[in-house]
Structures are given as C-alpha cells and as structure tokens.
Amino acid sequence: DKGEFKHYMLKEIYEQPDAVARTLDMALESTETAHSYQLRDDFLQRHETQLSNIRHVQVIACGTSYHAGLVAKYWFENLIRIPCSVEVASEFRYRNPVVVDNSLVICISQSGETADTLSALREIQKHSPTGLVSLALCNVPTSSLVRETDIFLPTLAGPEIGVASTKAFTTQLAALMLLVLKTGVTQSCIDDERLYTLLENLHKLPNQLHASLNLDASIKAMSESFEDKKSCLFLGRGLQFPIALEGALKLKEISYIHAEGYAAGELKHGPLALVDKDMPIVVLAPKDSMFDKLKANMQEVHARHGELFVFASEESKMVAEDRLHVVYIPDVCETLAPIVYSVPVQLLSYHVAVMRGTDVDQPRNLAKSVTVE
Ligand code: F6R
C-alpha cells in the first residue's frame, strides 16, 4: 500500500529514517557510562571467532548493492586497516580470481536471489580457501544467499517494492558500518575514542536522514532544470565517489537520462571534454577533508560554462551564483556523510523521472530481482 505517496519509491525514500533506525537497533544500545552508546554484546556474538581471524575482505555484489560495497571499502581500510576489495559479481565469477586465506566474503544483496552474486559465492566456495568466512548482507531472511552463507547480517529495511533500490541501500550502509565496528572491536584494531564518537554519530543518523528529507521541496525545484537534458555527470571524491555512482545509476534507471558518476579527480582525464552549457553536473560536496580539492574541480567545470547543482553542507559557505545552484545538507560527520547524501540524489532522480512521466516504480526493461545472468 502506497498510502499518501504517489509511488512506492517515494514512500520507501521516506521510510529511510525508520528503516535505518531499526537496522542500527540490532547493534546499538545506550549506556549509563561516560560513553552514551555501545555495541550490544549479542550483536554477531556467535561469530566473534570467525571475525577475529579474518585478514582481508572481499565484497561481491551488483548494481546499487555494489555501490554500498564501495563505501564499505573506505570504511574497512580507513577505520580498521583491513584490506578490502570490491567487485561486481558478473565479472568476479568468470575471471578465476584469487581469494586469499582468511578472507571474509561479503555478498551484498537486497533480494538474496541475484544470480551473478550467488554464482560468484559458489565459485569461491568451490575453491574453499583456508579460513574462508562468508556473510550475507541481505534484506530477505529466507533467501538462497542467506541459506548458503556462514553469517547472516540483515538489513531491516522491510519489503522494497520500487525497482530502484533506496532504503535497501541506506540500510546496507548502516549495517556495513556496524560490521566494520564489530570487526574492529573483535580484533582490537579500532581506538575507543573513534569507536564511541562513531556510535554517537550513528545514533543521530535517523534524525539527520529526516532533516535531509525536509529538503524535498528545494530538490524538486532543482529537478526542473533536468527535464529536457540528454546527459548528466555526478561528481564526488572519497566516500562520496560511490554516492556519485549511485546518483547516476538512479537517474538513468528511472528517468532514462544518460548519467555517469565520476571521481571528481578524474575530470581532467576525459569527461571535462563533455562539459558545456547544456551539461548539468551534480556535485556531492560535504565540508570534509576533500572539499578544497572538490572546489577546484567545480571551478574547472564552471569555467567551461557547465551548470553545477551542488549538495553542500552549510559549513562550506558555498553561495549560489549564475549557473551554480546549491542545496544545503544538514551537517553530518564525514564518515557517515555518504548515508545522508544518498537521500538528495534519490529525491532528485525521483522528481526528474516524475516530471518526464516515466514509470518510476517499474522502469522499462528492468526487474526487481535479477535471477538470471
Ligand atoms: C538499482 C537496483 C539494482 C540492484 C541490483 C542488485 O536501483 O536496484 O542495481 O541493486 O540488481 O540487486 P540485489 O541487491 O537484490 O542483489
């Protein structure tokens, strides 16, 4: 039931604060101690021995779930220094890849029935590397993927009906962060200060998602500039690069506008040639450690008369000017910003698609669950 919403996709976008809160509740509890929040003792408790032995992480997934994996790579490596590779399942399964000993293989899938993801998992299991641990990050407890893996980490998004993944994605990110923290604690490779700050910030996340939903009207206004565009670029750096990829995927799949996500540092290596006055460029620009570099990239685009649509934090003090539009996103800590910045790119794609009159919940040629390769 869509309730008051015109589409399932919009309903599911709006469900994100609750869906993320539910997912976080699996692992987060408040305390009476100096630290306000801690990881619950029972979170993945049965799997502590398995997690304590892993030395490498291999993520396998498709589409939006693959983008969640790309964010997790930054988290695993930056926060707990465990090397992490991420690959689309359709490539991984056919190239005879090396899976090193003591790997944690994380299969991310909303449905748990994606043919390529399942086959990639089976391919690894066939070679049974020493110390292999497999984990399903999945929204469907009864799925094939959950049955075939050692550990089940659920996303508590609830059923997702719209073909374009929204709440499944943000709950995947929330659960991946919990997994990184749990692994860090189990292996004593995360310092307390960092852990407790992140737990506190995680607790604030549902409210920040709420606040970003409140920007819907200004994002809708922004979307009007996209109605008759042919092509669009999404730019981000660091943790926002996967969100740029995700924004481009969302826009192309529901509005049928060609879109590409790029690491902003790659602009000069090709895509800058595309930029002219008809090219909208969406930029994910929180005030983080990469902001100054990103600003230089935006100036390069502006100098070539590209039209910039920037999601920025208020702290960044970016000011709108000719061919530069800004929507301010509530301040959020750098590590968790990709979760909050997912919302404006979802809303933008949604409004562009509605304006263009496409079938938002059932885009042409696509299926919700891709059970054939
Ligand atoms: C895009 C989208 C797809 C899925 C992909 C994987 O919005 O929904 O790209 O993410 O087909 O599906 P799951 O996560 O079910 O394996």
Side-chain angles (χ1 to χ4, degrees), residues 215-225 347-348 351 354-355:
L215 302 169
D216 198 6
S218 27
I219 294 169
K220 188 174 178 197
M222 195 184 241
S223 72
E224 284 167 20
S225 306
L347 286 171
L348 178 67
H351 290 300
V354 170
M355 221 166 18

Side-chain angles (χ1 to χ4, degrees), residues 21-330:
R22 266 198 308 276
T23 301
L24 292 174
D25 276 348
M26 290 190 296
L28 211 60
E29 68 182 3
S30 54
T31 68
E32 307 282 299
T33 66
H35 312 294
S36 322
Y37 296 92
Q38 63 188 20
L39 281 178
R40 296 165 59 112
D41 283 340
D42 59 358
F43 176 59
L44 296 176
Q45 193 174 31
R46 289 195 298 128
H47 302 292
E48 277 167 8
T49 313
Q50 287 164 312
L51 292 178
S52 67
N53 290 325
I54 60 136
R55 295 290 170 265
H56 180 261
V57 175
Q58 174 70 59
V59 178
I60 295 164
C62 303
T64 291
S65 297
Y66 165 70
H67 297 153
L70 291 176
V71 175
K73 175 186 171 76
Y74 282 77
W75 287 339
F76 272 110
E77 299 203 348
N78 184 27
L79 297 175
I80 64 170
R81 313 302 293 162
I82 294 184
C84 176
S85 316
V86 188
E87 193 164 337
V88 288
S90 57
E91 285 300 313
F92 188 91
R93 63 181 285 200
Y94 288 119
R95 67 173 183 87
N96 192 17
V98 176
V99 175
V100 296
D101 289 347
N102 302 310
S103 282
L104 171 67
V105 170
I106 303 178
C107 298
I108 309 177
S109 175
Q110 187 283 130
S111 61
E113 303 297 346
T114 300
D116 281 323
T117 307
L118 283 167
S119 298
L121 169 69
R122 289 170 190 154
E123 188 62 30
I124 296 172
Q125 286 169 335
K126 209 167 73 192
H127 293 104
S128 52
T130 309
L132 172 71
V133 180
S134 58
L135 180 147
L137 176 55
C138 188
N139 200 38
V140 182
T142 54
S143 63
S144 309
L145 186 66
V146 172
R147 278 198 307 274
E148 295 184 28
T149 38
D150 305 318
I151 306 179
F152 171 37
L153 177 57
T155 46
L156 302 181
E160 193 180 62
I161 312 287
V163 164
S165 182
T166 54
K167 61 177 178 169
F169 179 64
T170 44
T171 54
Q172 283 165 354
L173 291 177
L176 284 163
M177 174 48 77
L178 297 173
L179 177 64
V180 170
L181 295 179
K182 177 72 186 182
T183 309
V185 169
T186 311
Q187 300 202 3
S188 310
C189 57
I190 185 161
D191 68 77
D192 276 2
E193 172 87 16
R194 200 164 214 189
L195 172 70
Y196 291 115
T197 310
L198 272 168
L199 290 172
E200 215 153 289
N201 286 328
L202 274 173
H203 172 74
K204 294 184 199 150
L205 194 56
N207 274 335
Q208 284 166 325
L209 290 170
H210 249 301
S212 59
L213 288 167
N214 287 337
L215 302 169
D216 198 6
S218 27
I219 294 169
K220 188 174 178 197
M222 195 184 241
S223 72
E224 284 167 20
S225 306
F226 289 71
E227 184 166 3
D228 31 76
K229 293 294 190 241
K230 299 271 180 297
S231 187
C232 174
L233 280 181
F234 283 75
L235 300 179
R237 298 188 78 126
L239 280 161
Q240 296 295 335
F241 168 44
I243 307 307
L245 295 176
E246 174 60 7
L249 176 59
K250 270 320 63 119
L251 187 70
K252 68 187 129 189
E253 87 181 302
I254 61 169
S255 79
Y256 315 151
I257 294 176
H258 170 248
E260 280 192 74
Y262 252 99
E266 279 287 295
L267 256 186
K268 281 199 183 111
H269 301 284
L272 201 54
L274 289 171
V275 174
D276 64 12
K277 64 175 185 19
D278 297 320
M279 172 68 94
I281 291 125
V282 180
V283 189
L284 299 157
K287 181 92 173 71
D288 59 15
S289 51
M290 298 307 287
F291 180 70
D292 290 335
K293 301 262 176 220
L294 190 66
K295 224 167 145 185
N297 299 134
M298 286 190 261
Q299 276 151 3
E300 287 159 0
V301 167
H302 209 232
R304 276 128 192 124
H305 311 291
E307 189 157 11
L308 287 159
F309 298 87
V310 185
F311 296 121
S313 62
E314 284 184 32
E315 233 190 308
S316 73
K317 301 200 171 64
M318 288 213 48
V319 202
E321 51 179 286
D322 186 36
R323 309 185 67 71
L324 169 62
H325 312 267
V326 185
V327 168
Y328 296 106
I329 308 299

